[in-house]
Amino acid sequence: MREGRGPAGMRDAERGAWRLSGPAVVLDTPEALQIKVAQDPLARLDRRFSAGRLRTSAGSIAGILRAKLREEDDFGHGFVLIPVLLALGAVLWFSLPDNVGLAKLAALLCIFGISALLCRGDLRAWRPLALAPAILVAGMLLAAIETRRVDTVILDGPVTTNLSGTVLSREPDDRGRWRYLVEIAETSGPKLRRPPEKATLLARSRHEPFPIGSTIEGKVRLSPPSGPALPGLNDFAFDAYFKGVGAVGFFYGAPRRPGEGNGGLSLSLQMTARLVALREAVGNRIRSAIGGDTGAIAAALVTGEERAISRETVETLRAAGLSHVLAISGLNMVLAAGTFLIGARTLLSLVPGLAARRPIKKFAAAGALTMVFLYILISGGAVSALRSWIMISIMLVAVLFDRVSISLRNVAIAALIVIAWSPSAVAGPGFQMSFAATLALVAGYARWRDHRLRNADAKTSRLGQVSGPLVATVATSLIGGLATAVYAAAHFHRLPAYGLLANVLTTPLIGILIMPFGLFAMLLMPFGLEHYPLMVMGQGLDWMLAVARYVAALDGEWATGRIGVTGFFLLAFGGVLLCVLRTRLAFAGAALILLGGSSIALERQAERPSITISEDGQLVGLITGDAIATNKARPPEFIFSQWQRALALGGHIAPVETPAGGRRKNGIERPPRNSTAAHPFDAMASAAEAATALTAAKPGVFSCRKGEWCVGRSREGWVVAVVDVPEVFAALCGRVELVVVATRRTLPACPSGKPLVVTGATLRQTGAIEIHADAAPPERMRIVTSFPSTQRPWQQHRRYDWRSDTFSSEQAAF
């Protein structure tokens, strides 16, 4: 109970009818309760409502709710919900189809804020409900401010050009290639009218790595960051926009270095260059000492460089539910800080008389605070690492001031700092999963602590003492897994079936061998004595990989597919309420979880789309049964794997190749790569063969002429044609229901107007497309686009026309 709120009797008198211990006297009015307390000052207030005496009127229900809200406020949990509402407001603003200006949001914030201030006297208990919309709008305002502050220019379309710029960062991958973040200074041949400020470029040719701050130039292929593979999936352009990266691409050949040295660099870039050099030096020493994927994982745990780990190992860890180990998250930083804190305090206690004269615990906390600061400097600053650093720093500062270090309030403070600095982070899986796991673990720890305090007099058996650490490990893994499951399903569309087993087996390895000896190695590295601690760390990682391979071999994975927004919100918000609330209002969280689970179960029964089209129009899929038939024998792995996970489909049906006449190579018929107006006979013959193939089209399979066309039939009987040569389009008019043409060239008009035509120009504005069949007969095509509107800043590059240097105001429509 907070100080300054009056006597307990007066405070509880405002909550309605309470039952006092002693004689069965029920007091329904504050005045009567005051008299009773005055007569018997030792009367103990029992905060349990007398269920049989509750009135069923609306006033009594409102009184109960008001009392519970005040009780939660006494616990201080209203503050914990502030970052939750701010995050919801930010996500809401990012999800809107159009921009909402700062002036409108500021006006709304003033209106809701004044409304909350007016809740005084008898209305004071309702102030939290009035503050909720104000905090929600504040989150939207923070998102709008960050969007305006970032203002990243995203490239409008693929282009090949000559580029020169400054290297801002670099990172190797598992094949020895280098990926550079380049600040673009100039482009030529052609010169871009709207060049992005930064680009991520892969150099595939062997060369001497460019130092940070040096000038780099070469011929490059640039493309805008890709949009969602299907409506509702991750928009990579959104992530790139808030990272300041406007293009991705690669160098043709090895990049060139026109000048030497790092002269003339800004102070911030010089500091960045030194940090990157230190980060690379530490990573190289770890990898050279341990070697292989084990060394790459060890380096990733210290420096955050994950690209050097092979794809096979990453996939093995993911299948086993251990991919979170690669990220510098709360577990890694807590173990490092805890090891340092305990070790430093133990060493200081060995000094005779020092513990009696000086607060050695605070000295150790100050050292741990310095250590985690150095850790975050060389870790790359990912969201999970940043959140962990803020959280650990708050805990250590609390130790310095003799305050409780592990609490929900500290979690809320860390979340507030991250949201205020980067509201866009709340839309990513890193923020959501890390804070969900931390919130659940802290709440679970608090409830377990309360349970032990209530049963302090109970004796613990020897079996209980021995099994305690095992129970704690299982409980930690179980709570963390359950807390992050809905977020993993929403973002990655799959869950490891045996993730709990893998985490229970590896958590002791991480806590006893991997992270503590990794910390010892870092402390001894300046003296060149890191070899033996790294060997112990490497052995622990080898055992962890052995566990991961065993669990992954069990082939246990739940394909969840996409989950609806409603079910996701109910589960996520219900979980937050269940962790935060301490009164019976927590049952509201459990009810929301049940509703969310029911919503997802019902949505899973919904029909999958019939046809899927990628945003570049190159890949088209027909959904039949448990497989996807595509127009490519080897569909792009990046896109197709997302289709499989999102739609919970495993199989792939390759197209049936139709041989072309008149051209052979090595005795095998090969189609011409392009049929153009210069070869009217070839184009006419190809169109005629495509028309003939329409009659033999079977549901759920494509028949293709490589480089020219593909035809197939959906499960509803719609005939679909994918045309690579525009000249074939005229022959298919009126004979198909859907035509997909990846080119942006102007197509001839179709006299019948029957087919739905999807072109590259259309897809540029709509993004990837799904086509569903309306439930009501006759079955008609219902189109779902990735972008109902392209007015948002991270989408407006799709409306840019480089010829006129203007933005189109038209929106593609079907």
Side-chain angles (χ1 to χ4, degrees), residues 83-158:
V84 177
L85 295 174
L86 285 176
L88 285 176
V91 171
L92 177 61
W93 191 86
F94 290 131
S95 303
L96 295 175
D98 296 312
N99 295 313
V100 178
L102 295 177
K104 295 180 180 179
L105 292 174
L108 283 174
L109 181 60
C110 291
I111 293 173
F112 289 124
I114 293 173
S115 300
L117 291 176
L118 293 177
C119 292
R120 298 179 178 179
D122 293 339
L123 297 177
R124 184 180 181 86
W126 299 106
R127 179 174 289 181
L129 298 181
L131 278 174
I135 299 173
L136 200 71
V137 174
M140 299 177 68
L141 187 61
L142 288 174
I145 292 174
E146 184 193 17
T147 302
R148 177 170 292 188
R149 172 173 57 86
V150 173
D151 194 26
T152 302
V153 176
I154 298 182
L155 187 68
D156 57 287

Side-chain angles (χ1 to χ4, degrees), residues 407-488:
S407 67
L408 292 176
R409 181 175 291 269
N410 290 345
V411 178
I413 293 174
L416 283 174
I417 295 174
V418 175
I419 295 172
W421 175 253
S422 180
S424 59
V426 304
F431 177 94
Q432 296 174 8
M433 297 181 72
S434 60
F435 271 102
T438 304
L439 181 65
L441 290 172
V442 172
Y445 167 77
R447 283 172 168 76
W448 174 247
R449 180 186 58 194
D450 294 343
H451 171 74
R452 294 189 65 182
L453 289 175
R454 288 193 300 266
N455 299 275
D457 298 334
K459 295 183 179 181
T460 304
S461 63
R462 292 185 178 181
L463 179 60
Q465 295 176 353
V466 174
S467 62
L470 177 60
V471 173
T473 301
V474 174
T476 300
S477 301
L478 182 61
I479 292 173
L482 290 177
T484 58
V486 63
Y487 302 97

Side-chain angles (χ1 to χ4, degrees), residues 472-609:
T473 301
V474 174
T476 300
S477 301
L478 182 61
I479 292 173
L482 290 177
T484 58
V486 63
Y487 302 97
H491 292 283
F492 308 115
H493 317 301
R494 54 187 175 183
L495 294 172
Y498 302 104
L500 177 61
L501 172 63
N503 280 275
V504 169
L505 294 177
T506 57
T507 296
L509 296 175
I510 298 172
I512 298 174
L513 296 180
I514 297 174
M515 289 307 302
F517 281 90
L519 174 62
F520 299 154
M522 294 303 100
L523 296 176
L524 296 175
M525 186 172 288
F527 309 101
L529 303 176
E530 74 277 6
H531 179 75
Y532 290 107
L534 286 179
M535 291 298 99
V536 178
M537 182 184 185
Q539 184 60 62
L541 288 171
D542 285 336
W543 288 339
M544 185 190 76
L545 287 176
V547 172
R549 295 188 185 99
Y550 170 75
V551 174
L554 299 177
D555 196 20
E557 185 175 76
W558 296 328
T560 62
R562 286 178 299 188
I563 62 177
V565 177
T566 302
F568 171 73
F569 172 78
L570 291 175
L571 281 174
F573 194 65
V576 170
L577 294 182
L578 193 61
C579 292
V580 171
L581 301 180
R582 298 289 294 275
T583 66
R584 294 181 181 179
L585 291 179
F587 288 113
L592 291 179
I593 292 175
L594 291 176
L595 288 176
S598 302
S599 175
I600 292 176
L602 294 176
E603 289 171 352
R604 288 295 305 272
Q605 304 301 322
E607 187 180 12
R608 296 189 178 102

Side-chain angles (χ1 to χ4, degrees), residues 742-777:
T743 182
R744 297 185 184 180
R745 292 168 52 184
T746 303
L747 299 174
C750 190
S752 65
K754 177 182 178 181
L756 172 66
V757 180
V758 178
T759 66
T762 305
L763 291 168
R764 186 188 178 203
Q765 292 196 26
T766 64
I769 287 177
E770 290 181 4
I771 299 179
H772 296 253
D774 283 338

